[in-house]
Amino acid sequence: MNLRTLIESLCKLVDPIGAVIETVNISALNDVDEFFETASPVILSIVNIEEDHTMKNQSFYLKNDNQDQISGYNPNQYFILSLLFASYNKSMNTYLDGIDKLNKILVFFQQNNSFFYKNDNTELITEESFTQKSETQKKNYQRVTMESVSLGIEQLNQMWSYLGSKYMPSMLYKMRFHMVQESVVSDEKVITRVRIDLLENDKNNHGGEI
C-alpha cells in the first residue's frame, strides 16, 4: 500500500476540485508563509503513525491451493495514521470561512467512514461504490476506516505543543488500514501425519530409559 497515493486519493474524495485541502507539515508552518496568503485552506497533516497491536496475532504460514504445501511469509502489518485537519487563516475576516470548510470535511466523514483501497494503488472508493462491485472485484480491495478522535483540553495542549504551533480550529481522525503482503518467503510441505517412536525401557541402555 502506497501511503502517498492513499492520502492523495482521500483528499480527492473529500475535495474533488482541490479548493479546500492542502497537505502540509503543520509543524513547519509559520505566519510568514506567503503560500497561504489568500487561499484560506484546511491543512491536512499526518501527526502520528503507529502499529495497530490489536492485529498482531497472525499466522506465519498460508495454505496454498496445492493442499500439500504451505507458504511461509511475513505477516501483514496493520497501521493507524493520525490525520489532523486544521483551519489556517492569516486574515481575521476569513476565520468563519475556514470553519465552514472544516464543517464540510466533518459532514463528509460523518456520512463516509469506511473506504476501500485497491491493491494496485489505483483508486480509493467509498463503501457505496464498493457495494456495486462484483464479488470477484471486491477481493482486490482492502478496507480503510476513519474514526474521529475527541481530545480534552490537556491533550489538545500537549498535541499542539509537540507540533510547535499555536492552536487552530481542527479535527483529528484515526485512519486504520493494513499493508498488503507482496511476496511469499518460502514454500514448505504440509505436515499431514506425525509418528512418535517411544524408546524401550532397557536398564542396560541408560540412553533408552523412559
Side-chain angles (χ1 to χ4, degrees):
M1 180 176 288
N2 187 296
L3 286 182
R4 176 173 179 169
T5 303
L6 177 61
I7 296 300
E8 290 177 340
S9 299
L10 181 67
C11 289
K12 288 180 181 179
L13 281 179
V14 182
D15 179 25
I17 63 175
V20 177
I21 301 174
E22 295 287 350
T23 53
V24 176
N25 181 3
I26 197 169
S27 64
L29 192 65
N30 58 66
D31 292 336
V32 298
D33 288 313
E34 297 298 327
F35 181 77
F36 297 107
E37 187 67 43
T38 58
S40 183
V42 168
I43 299 169
L44 169 59
S45 290
I46 299 174
V47 295
N48 192 31
I49 301 176
E50 59 184 304
E51 187 173 4
D52 190 349
H53 295 290
T54 62
M55 306 298 292
K56 287 288 286 185
N57 296 327
Q58 301 178 66
S59 173
F60 284 83
Y61 295 94
L62 289 175
K63 197 167 185 178
N64 295 336
D65 294 334
N66 181 353
Q67 297 299 315
D68 293 331
Q69 276 194 333
I70 57 175
S71 297
Y73 82 121
N74 295 321
N76 294 339
Q77 284 185 289
Y78 291 75
F79 289 92
I80 302 173
L81 263 64
S82 295
L83 304 181
L84 181 68
F85 293 86
S87 174
Y88 179 79
N89 302 281
K90 294 181 68 174
S91 176
M92 294 293 291
N93 59 8
T94 59
Y95 180 80
L96 291 179
D97 181 46
I99 298 298
D100 182 55
K101 291 179 179 179
L102 205 58
N103 182 72
K104 291 179 180 178
I105 296 173
L106 173 64
V107 171
F108 179 85
F109 286 126
Q110 186 178 27
Q111 297 174 347
N112 305 275
N113 57 11
S114 291
F115 305 91
F116 292 84
Y117 187 75
K118 198 170 185 181
N119 292 344
D120 61 3
N121 300 313
T122 57
E123 66 176 352
L124 178 72
I125 58 176
T126 62
E127 188 167 18
E128 182 180 359
S129 298
F130 179 75
T131 57
Q132 299 173 7
K133 301 285 185 181
S134 68
E135 292 303 316
T136 301
Q137 291 175 322
K138 288 180 180 179
K139 295 179 180 179
N140 297 319
Y141 290 82
Q142 304 295 329
R143 190 183 189 94
V144 176
T145 61
M146 296 290 289
E147 173 189 345
S148 62
V149 180
S150 297
L151 299 178
I153 297 297
E154 185 176 346
Q155 291 173 310
L156 275 175
N157 181 59
Q158 292 175 349
M159 182 184 74
W160 287 100
S161 293
Y162 89 77
L163 290 176
S165 181
K166 297 178 182 179
Y167 172 78
M168 304 176 194
S170 56
M171 297 181 300
L172 182 63
Y173 289 89
K174 282 191 174 182
M175 173 188 279
R176 297 176 183 270
F177 63 95
H178 74 269
M179 305 294 286
V180 178
Q181 180 60 242
E182 295 183 355
S183 60
V184 172
V185 175
S186 62
D187 291 331
E188 301 177 9
K189 288 189 175 182
V190 177
I191 299 175
T192 58
R193 187 172 62 180
V194 177
R195 187 183 68 184
I196 300 176
D197 291 328
L198 296 178
L199 299 176
E200 294 183 359
N201 189 11
D202 186 352
K203 294 182 178 180
N204 297 321
N205 181 4
H206 297 287
E209 291 185 358
I210 59 173

